[in-house]
Every structure is written in structure tokens, then in C-alpha cells.
Amino acid sequence: MNKPETNRKQRGSKGKSKRPKSRKRIGLIWLFFVVLVGVVCAVVGYLLVILNGERILSNNVNKLDLETATIIVDKSDKQIAKLSGEGSNREYVKFNDIPKKVTDAFVATEDKRFYEHGGVDLFGIGRALVKDIIARSAVEGASTITQQVAKNLFLNSDKTLFRKGTEASIALALENNYSKEQILELYLNRIYFGKNQYGIKTAAKYYFGVTDLNKLETWQIATLAGIPKAPNVYNPVNNPDKSMDRRAVVLSLMEDQGLITEQEKLAAAVVPFDPDKVPTKSSQYQTYIDYVFDEAQEVTGLSEDQFLRSGYTIKVSIDTKAQKAMEDAFAKESMFEKSKDETKMQGAMVIMDQHDGTLVAMVGGRDYSRQGWNRVTKQRQPGSSFKPIVSYGAAIETGNYFPWSTLRDDKTCYDKGKYCPTDSNRVKYVGPIAMTQAIKESRNQPAVWLLNEIGVSKGVSFAGKLGIELDKSDRNLAIALGGLTNGVTPLEMVTAYGAFANGGTLQNPHSVLEIKDKNNKTIYTYDPPKAKQVMAQETSYYVTQIMQGVTQTGGTGVKAKISGRPVAGKTGTTQLGIKGVSSSGNRDVWFVGYTPEWTAAVWMGYDKTDENHYVKQSSGQAAAMFAAVMSKGLEGKAKKSFPKPGNVQDEEKLPAVSGFTAAYVPEQVSIELKWGAVSAENVTYRVYRKADGEADFKLLAEVGLPLFDDLAILPEQTFTYYVTAYQASKKKESEPSPQATVTVTTDLSGEPSPGDNGQQSPPPNESEPPVEGGGGESPSPTPSPSPSASPSPGGEASPGSSPTPPVESAQP
């Protein structure tokens, strides 16, 4: 009876032991089928990739994806330029005619595993994926040379997984149908080298004048091999310094892979690029076109190569009449000083519509060539043209100063005697001077004095609001005269002055209005940022007022005057500062100004200033360029006036002091000064004195009553006095009184010597004709020294005047 139970237990135990084996067997079967399906999918996928690449290659191998030219049109959709890619700019060269050192350099730089992989570098892809994951975006391309050929021949440059997959399939097909040598030949003849140069032979000829590739030197090979990574950045014409840095990277890669020795690397790294080898070919509107081209790339993220090949239409803000007028003026030799050799004096000019920031016209230099050195975007020292930005404008913005406010023009040192700016006028240091007159004559001391009064930080802050961010080291009074660490560009200056011209509103300078692709689909439209009111409307009006005086008779910018149109602006020059060379020369001359319609900046000088190449004349030539171009460009346009805000104050002249007398009083051993009271509120009186042997009047005292006794006198000395009325609330000072001269005698009778006591002379308002110096500004004679009229302009003069030392941009 127990056996059946025992048998059941035995059978049960056997059944339980068999179940795990069955499950394990089923699991293995499933795993087998999963692996099989995976292998089949991989094989099918691989075959599809191969077949897809072969299909694309066979359908397109005999018809390259030739580029469609991009065109540039003006606001009226009239074509002004065509940007094409390769065309006649490529010279094909066979592989056997390419030196091994050249091919080795490109392989070392672009794809060191080129001879090992089959078109796609899996190791490189893995490395790129890691970098992309870390960066959380597609930052690493991992494209082999073969993939680059595939992309250039058949695809666009979109960085998507689908496009990369197609690129890989074509690369595999290329490797399956062509030898490594044939692929390298395609690559080196197709690759873009910047400056509209396609192919290794064309690039070597353009950059180095080398037609036989076997004659390329190591440094030249490395330079060329470094360009394709970013052609617009690393070509030696656009960015010689960045090109040299990139060359060093290529040379290091070549050394690491045993292609050159360390000595060859070091020698090739320091060879300078000679821009004279590059052919120059000017074309109409070229500076403007190049600027548009760069801006279009920036706003869209598209590459230079894509724009050259993909048939875009770019609408821009150019005014072709103004552009032609500018190019014609720059082509005239008479507009520039003649150089003593073949190195020409250079210049740059840009015009902006201050109401919307659109760039109207631009020239980057004389004989400007395609993608050349655009001086409109290069920094130079601005000299006195910076005074309105950092000194006068900033002071008026505080609300404490007005065009009629009295400034000081005295021989003064600052920063414990370390910084002593000087005027370069014929008559220096006239004492009290109205702001209007100080800027009209471009006197230096008043601008520095004013910045010192308001504080350097206010000047720096105001410049920043106008779009000019100064270097951290520019926290000193020298900035009042344009003495900057890095300088400014004409484009920055035209933007800043545009705010003065536009009621205190700063606009964003731009040239591109709209971009459409070849299917007429709009891919970009300029969306103006919210306008910035960077100063009070009253400030812009007052600054315009004082700068209008600069272009009027007696002003340093009188040559900028345009018949029938109001013009405001400021001249500027910078010191030469070369030992052994006449100090009347300059490094830079400027005129930055505006009409109610447009704002423009003009710079002139030499790219490299030395003892043989410097500006000998004043900023008048820059002002003349402004007038020549603007008057022609504005022809036929309605004439406007500068708008006047409703709440601006007008100048209320302070009455001059009358009845001034001076007499020596022996009993008190003093000189007694008396004058009539002035009928104005809160007035004090300033007494000025000049003793024998002193060149300038000095402030002796400020009193509240029309009476003063000068006790600080010496016997047998002659003293000359004048008095002004001063209103501190408005920082306004009256015209000076007539002068009175007194000689102190030892006669105790109290009777002055004949002709010596109380002798009066006319007020100091007739001076010698002003002169031009290298560093300031000066035109025709003006009265002196008073708050509203002072002697001679400060450094930049009218034709025919004799030179005096420059001072504008003296560093502390």
C-alpha cells in the first residue's frame, strides 16, 4: 500500500527537476532567434546602406552638384552683385602632380586614419559621439576625407543624423569604387580655401604666387592644410594671426606623425605671411558686399561655401548713389596726401541711417580687394572725436552742464602731476571758456577738466551706453582726448554719433534686411531689437548744438560743411609720437558727423605708421571727404532740420561786468578793484590777474560783492586784472570786463605814477590768427579769453596755418 505513494513522490520529484531544463532550453532558443534577427537586420541594413550609396553615386557621378549663385539686391530688388563659388576659380591638378608632402599634410590634419578605414572611421565616430553627449549637441563631425568628398559632391551641409547616414553610405560606395589616391585627388581639387579659391593649386597660386606645387615650402603647405577647417577664419589674408596659430597646430600634427622634424616645425612656424603676394582686384561695392556676406553668415549660421553654392537672395540696405559717390571720392588721389613711396595713405568711411541703423554705404580702403582688410571694422585711436562721447555728452547728461556752461582752460596737471595735457593752439590756456567754444576749437584742457569734474566713471558709463565698451585699463583722464588702450572702429563711432543724431536713441547697425533660398522661401528677416533710449533727448539736442559750431566759420571741421544742410560733427587727430620726427605729424585723422538724414565716420592714416609713413596734414582732409561724399549721396533727398525737444532751455546770457577800475592804495599797500553790480540772481564775481612775467591770467578770487582789495602784491611790479560775473547754478560765466593795469610804486604820497595806475585796455577779444597742430584742431581767428569767445582753436587748423605740437591723445 505504501509503494504507490512512494512512486508518486518519485514521479513528482522527477517532474520538478525537468521543468528548469525546459525553461533554459526555451530561453536559449529565443536568444538564438533574437541574435539571428539582429544579424539579419544588421546585414540587411548594411546592404541597404551600401546599395543606397551605390545608387546615389551611380546616379550623380557624372554630374557634380554645381553651385547656384547667390545674388545681392537693394531695397528695390535691383541686383547689385552676384556671389558665385568655384567656376573659373579652380585649376584642376592630377594626383601624380601633387607632392607627397602636401597629401601627407592634409591627411595628418584632416583624417590621420585615412589609409586604414573603409570610408567611415568607427573609432572617430565613437570619439565624436562621446563629445556630442558631453556637450549635449552635435559639436564633433568625425567626418573622414572620404565623407567630406561625399558631402561636397552630393549633399548639403546640414548636420542631421539622416544626412550623416547618407554621407556615410556614399563614402562607403566611393571607397568601393575608387582608390585612395583618386579620393584624395577629388578632395584636394574640391576643397574650399576661402577668398573664393577652390582646389589646392588655385589656393597656392592665390596666397603664395606658387604655380608649381612642388615648390611649396613646408610653412606654406601647413598654412594651406589649416584653412579648410574654417576657411573664412584661418585664411592668412583675413586673419594673419589666427592663420599662423592654425599653421602651428598643423605643423605639430605633422611632427607627431613623423612627417617633419622638430627643427623643420620650429622654422616653418615663424615664417611671416607676405600679403603682397596676394593679387588685388577691385570691384564695385566690394567692401559693402563683403560686409553683407559676413553678416549673412552670422545671422543664419550658414557657411561661406553654402552661400556661394546654394542660390540665396540677400536683400540689403545699400544706397547705391551714396556708395558710388564714396568709391569715386576714394579713387581720387587729390583726396589723400601723397606718400613718399608706393605705400599709400589709407582711409575708410561708413554711412548709417541713424533712424533705423541701416548701413547706407561703406568703403574699407583705397584699392580694396575682395574680402580684403576692411578698415571700417578695425580699431584706431580716435583723438578729439572721442570728446563728445566721453566728456561733453556725459557731462550734459548729468543735467548740470549746458552748451553755454563755463569750463576751465588752465595749465593744469592731474593725478598728482603725472598727467599734464596741453593745448596746441597759438594762444594757450585762456581760462574761462564756454563749452561751445571749447569744442569748436577742440581745446584739450577743457575736455579733460570737464571729465575730471564729472568723474571718469560717468564718462566710461556713457560711452558704454553708446555701444563702446572701454578696456578696464581705460579708467583715466586720457580718455577725454581719445587716449584708449584698444581704440575704436569707424563702425563703432558712426553708431555712437548716430544716437546724438537720433534724439538719444541708439540703433543696431546692420546691412542685411532679408534672405530667401533658391525656392523663394524666406529664411531670415531682420527683426530690430527694441530701440534703446541711451540719453535724454535734451542731451542729444545740446550735443548737436555744440557740434554744429565745429562745422561753422572758426570751427575745426569747417570743411565738412554742406551747402543748404545742417551738419554737426567733430574732428580728431592723434599724436605721432615717433622719436626724431616732427611732432606736427599725426597717426590718425578723423571726422565723425551727421546731418538730419545720415551719420558718417571718416578715418585716414597709414596701416603701419613709421618715420616715413604718417599724416602730415590735419583732420581737415577727413572733413573734406565727409562733405564730398555726403553732399553727393544726399542729392535729391528732402532737406530736413534737427528736431528740437519741447523742454530744452535756451541760453540766457549773463550781463558783462561794467565800470571796472583798479587803483593802487599806498596806505593799505593794496590794489583796490571796483566795478558795477550785475543784475542777475545768485551771482558771484571772479577776479583774474596776470603779473609781470606770467603768460596767462589766473583766478585770484571769487567774491560776492563788487569790490576786492588785492593785498598779495610786490613793489615795482605791474599787475593786469579783469573781472567776470559767475552763476554757479548754471555754471555760466559772463564776458570779461575790460582789463585794468596797475604798477605798484614806492611813492608814499598816494599818487600813482602817470600812466601806471588804473590804466584800462580793451577786453581780451582780439588774438592772433589760430594755427593747426598735429594733435588738436584750428581754423580762423576767434576772440579770447571769455566764456563765450576764446583765442585760437586747439590743434586742427585751417589751410595755410603753421603747425604747433599735437596733444590730443596724450596718454597719462
Side-chain angles (χ1 to χ4, degrees):
M1 297 216 24
N2 293 332
K3 283 184 179 180
E5 183 67 26
T6 301
N7 290 339
R8 280 196 302 269
K9 287 182 181 180
Q10 289 175 348
R11 285 195 300 269
S13 62
K14 286 180 182 179
K16 287 180 181 179
S17 63
K18 287 180 181 180
R19 284 173 187 169
K21 291 181 180 180
S22 299
R23 290 174 182 172
K24 190 180 294 184
R25 188 178 299 113
I26 293 170
L28 289 173
I29 292 171
W30 273 107
L31 178 61
F32 171 76
F33 278 108
V34 169
V35 171
L36 180 62
V37 170
V39 170
V40 170
C41 289
V43 171
V44 171
Y46 179 74
L47 290 174
L48 288 174
V49 168
I50 294 293
L51 291 174
N52 183 52
E54 292 286 350
R55 178 185 61 80
I56 295 174
L57 181 61
S58 62
N59 289 341
N60 295 279
V61 69
N62 293 319
K63 48 177 183 178
L64 298 179
D65 183 21
L66 299 176
E67 78 283 356
T68 303
T70 285
I71 62 171
I72 298 178
V73 299
D74 64 12
K75 292 179 180 179
S76 302
D77 291 321
K78 181 181 178 181
Q79 181 176 320
I80 63 168
K82 180 184 288 187
L83 304 177
S84 59
E86 306 147 58
S88 60
N89 285 342
R90 179 199 287 122
E91 291 184 40
Y92 201 93
V93 58
K94 294 291 185 181
F95 182 83
N96 291 337
D97 296 325
I98 304 174
K100 187 175 186 301
K101 196 169 188 177
V102 172
T103 58
D104 286 346
F106 279 83
V107 169
T109 305
E110 292 291 322
D111 185 7
K112 68 179 181 180
R113 288 168 45 82
F114 174 72
Y115 291 104
E116 301 169 19
H117 61 67
V120 177
D121 187 358
L122 297 178
F123 178 80
I125 290 174
R127 182 184 64 234
L129 283 173
V130 171
K131 290 186 177 182
D132 286 353
I133 291 170
I134 294 173
R136 297 185 179 181
S137 64
V139 297
E140 185 74 10
S143 290
T144 64
I145 283 177
T146 314
Q147 285 176 274
Q148 291 183 54
V149 172
K151 177 184 67 177
N152 286 330
L153 284 173
F154 309 112
L155 303 170
N156 60 35
S157 297
D158 296 335
K159 198 169 186 181
T160 64
L161 288 174
F162 178 78
R163 200 273 296 161
K164 292 293 288 184
T166 306
E167 176 187 292
S169 68
I170 299 172
L172 293 172
L174 283 170
E175 292 275 352
N176 191 46
N177 289 274
Y178 295 89
S179 67
K180 292 288 186 180
E181 290 74 21
Q182 289 173 312
I183 293 170
L184 265 181
E185 181 180 311
L186 282 169
Y187 173 78
L188 290 173
N189 280 287
R190 178 76 187 193
I191 199 71
Y192 181 58
F193 286 89
K195 309 295 288 181
N196 204 30
Q197 305 303 309
Y198 286 80
I200 184 67
K201 187 170 183 178
T202 308
K205 187 175 180 180
Y206 176 79
Y207 289 114
F208 308 116
V210 175
T211 55
D212 183 355
L213 297 182
N214 290 291
K215 294 182 179 179
L216 283 172
E217 299 177 23
T218 300
W219 75 271
Q220 294 170 328
I221 294 172
T223 299
L224 292 171
I227 294 174
K229 181 178 177 65
N232 201 37
V233 175
Y234 293 127
N235 79 73
V237 172
N238 280 14
N239 295 295
D241 292 336
K242 289 183 179 180
S243 172
M244 207 163 185
D245 292 341
R246 176 65 178 161
R247 183 206 307 174
V249 172
V250 174
L251 289 168
S252 294
L253 291 171
M254 293 174 71
E255 183 201 12
D256 291 342
Q257 296 174 49
L259 302 176
I260 58 173
T261 64
E262 183 181 6
Q263 290 73 21
E264 288 177 303
K265 179 189 77 170
L266 296 175
V270 297
V271 180
F273 172 73
D274 183 5
D276 292 336
K277 297 287 186 182
V278 179
T280 59
K281 183 180 179 182
S282 299
S283 65
Q284 196 176 35
Y285 312 154
Q286 195 59 64
T287 303
Y288 197 96
I289 292 167
D290 285 349
Y291 188 87
V292 165
F293 198 22
D294 290 340
E295 185 179 317
Q297 293 174 69
E298 182 181 345
V299 299
T300 62
L302 297 171
S303 70
E304 183 178 4
D305 189 43
Q306 285 174 285
F307 271 112
L308 291 174
R309 297 171 53 199
S310 302
Y312 293 95
T313 299
I314 307 174
K315 181 177 288 190
V316 299
S317 57
I318 191 173
D319 184 296
T320 53
K321 184 177 180 180
Q323 181 70 33
K324 188 176 186 307
M326 193 182 293
E327 292 181 4
D328 289 345
F330 270 72
K332 292 180 180 178
E333 296 287 339
S334 60
M335 299 297 292
F336 296 84
E337 291 180 20
K338 185 172 176 58
S339 175
K340 65 190 301 182
D341 55 26
E342 297 303 313
T343 303
K344 290 183 176 181
M345 178 183 177
Q346 277 297 341
M349 183 174 183
V350 57
I351 301 175
M352 183 185 77
D353 185 331
Q354 63 261 24
H355 305 100
D356 58 13
T358 53
L359 295 174
V360 173
M362 182 187 301
V363 166
R366 301 170 74 185
D367 302 326
Y368 181 89
S369 62
R370 188 179 189 277
Q371 291 187 341
W373 186 255
N374 186 358
R375 295 163 185 84
V376 168
T377 61
K378 307 306 176 187
Q379 294 174 326
R380 300 292 297 214
Q381 294 296 322
S384 285
S385 64
F386 209 60
K387 290 175 181 176
I389 292 173
V390 79
S391 186
Y392 294 114
I396 292 173
E397 179 71 0
T398 66
N400 298 321
Y401 291 88
F402 300 90
W404 52 87
S405 293
T406 302
L407 314 181
R408 295 300 308 177
D409 184 19
D410 306 301
K411 188 175 183 179
T412 307
C413 289
Y414 304 89
D415 192 17
K416 299 179 180 179
K418 295 178 183 177
Y419 182 46
C420 302
T422 58
D423 285 335
S424 58
N425 310 71
R426 187 188 301 279
V427 178
K428 308 180 192 303
Y429 314 122
V430 297
I433 184 170
M435 182 187 291
T436 301
Q437 196 67 21
I439 193 171
K440 182 176 185 177
E441 300 174 359
S442 195
R443 289 184 170 270
N444 292 328
Q445 274 285 8
V448 177
W449 177 88
L450 186 58
L451 181 60
N452 188 58
E453 289 291 304
I454 66 172
V456 171
S457 61
K458 280 189 171 63
V460 171
S461 174
F462 192 73
K465 290 178 182 178
L466 297 182
I468 299 177
E469 296 295 335
L470 299 181
D471 190 88
K472 290 182 179 179
S473 60
D474 291 327
R475 301 296 185 272
N476 54 68
L477 293 174
I479 64 175
L481 306 183
L484 309 179
T485 301
N486 299 319
V488 290
T489 70
L491 186 60
E492 289 176 319
M493 291 295 281
V494 83
T495 304
Y497 271 60
F500 294 133
N502 191 34
T505 302
L506 185 74
Q507 297 289 356
N508 178 47
H510 62 283
S511 63
V512 178
L513 304 177
E514 183 183 65
I515 302 176
K516 294 183 177 181
D517 64 16
K518 62 183 177 182
N519 298 317
N520 207 36
K521 178 184 177 183
T522 300
I523 66 166
Y524 170 80
T525 301
Y526 179 73
D527 183 16
K530 186 177 180 180
K532 298 178 183 177
Q533 189 71 30
V534 295
M535 70 184 87
Q537 291 184 11
E538 294 78 18
T539 298
S540 67
Y541 175 76
Y542 288 137
V543 172
T544 297
Q545 266 195 322
I546 64 175
M547 287 203 288
Q548 278 185 274
V550 174
T551 66
Q552 295 167 358
T553 302
T556 60
V558 68
K559 287 186 177 181
K561 202 169 184 178
I562 300 174
S563 178
R565 293 184 188 271
V567 177
K570 184 68 188 75
T571 49
T573 61
T574 62
Q575 285 182 311
L576 181 58
I578 297 179
K579 189 175 181 180
V581 180
S582 169
S583 61
S584 63
N586 301 297
R587 287 180 177 268
D588 313 270
V589 293
W590 291 77
F591 184 82
V592 188
Y594 49 93
T595 67
E597 298 82 20
W598 290 342
T599 304
V602 181
W603 167 85
M604 290 180 175
Y606 286 88
D607 290 334
K608 293 183 179 180
T609 306
D610 56 35
E611 64 275 8
N612 294 316
H613 305 99
Y614 61 90
V615 184
K616 299 175 181 63
Q617 298 176 25
S618 74
S619 54
Q621 54 195 319
M625 177 67 78
F626 173 93
V629 175
M630 291 283 277
S631 59
K632 192 73 175 176
L634 288 169
E635 273 184 0
K637 296 188 184 296
K639 296 179 180 180
K640 301 178 182 178
S641 300
F642 292 118
K644 181 179 180 179
N647 55 344
V648 297
Q649 300 180 38
D650 291 320
E651 178 182 7
E652 296 177 4
K653 286 199 172 184
L654 201 59
V657 170
S658 61
F660 176 54
T661 63
Y664 173 51
V665 182
E667 296 84 356
Q668 299 179 8
V669 192
S670 68
I671 295 177
E672 183 181 72
L673 307 176
K674 295 181 180 180
W675 58 91
V678 169
S679 58
E681 294 182 357
N682 302 317
V683 168
T684 57
Y685 302 95
R686 289 181 167 183
V687 180
Y688 294 90
R689 186 184 78 173
K690 181 172 70 172
D692 281 343
E694 294 180 345
D696 305 305
F697 282 91
K698 295 179 181 178
L699 178 63
L700 180 62
E702 185 170 341
V703 296
L705 297 174
L707 174 69
F708 179 73
D709 290 328
D710 184 7
L711 302 173
I713 59 175
L714 295 171
E716 306 301 334
Q717 285 281 320
T718 298
F719 300 92
T720 301
Y721 302 87
Y722 71 83
V723 180
T724 64
Y726 181 69
Q727 204 169 34
S729 61
K730 296 183 179 180
K731 291 184 170 55
K732 189 191 317 183
E733 195 164 2
S734 74
E735 298 278 350
S737 69
Q739 295 178 3
T741 301
V742 178
T743 298
V744 179
T745 69
T746 56
D747 184 357
L748 300 180
S749 67
E751 295 296 328
S753 301
D756 286 338
N757 192 359
Q759 179 183 6
Q760 292 195 355
S761 59
N765 25 332
E766 291 301 327
S767 64
E768 298 180 37
V771 296
E772 171 184 17
E777 290 124 295
S778 115
S780 59
T782 54
S784 86
S786 77
S788 59
S790 54
S792 64
E796 291 168 60
S798 59
S801 55
S802 58
T804 56
V807 295
E808 287 186 88
S809 59
Q811 294 286 350

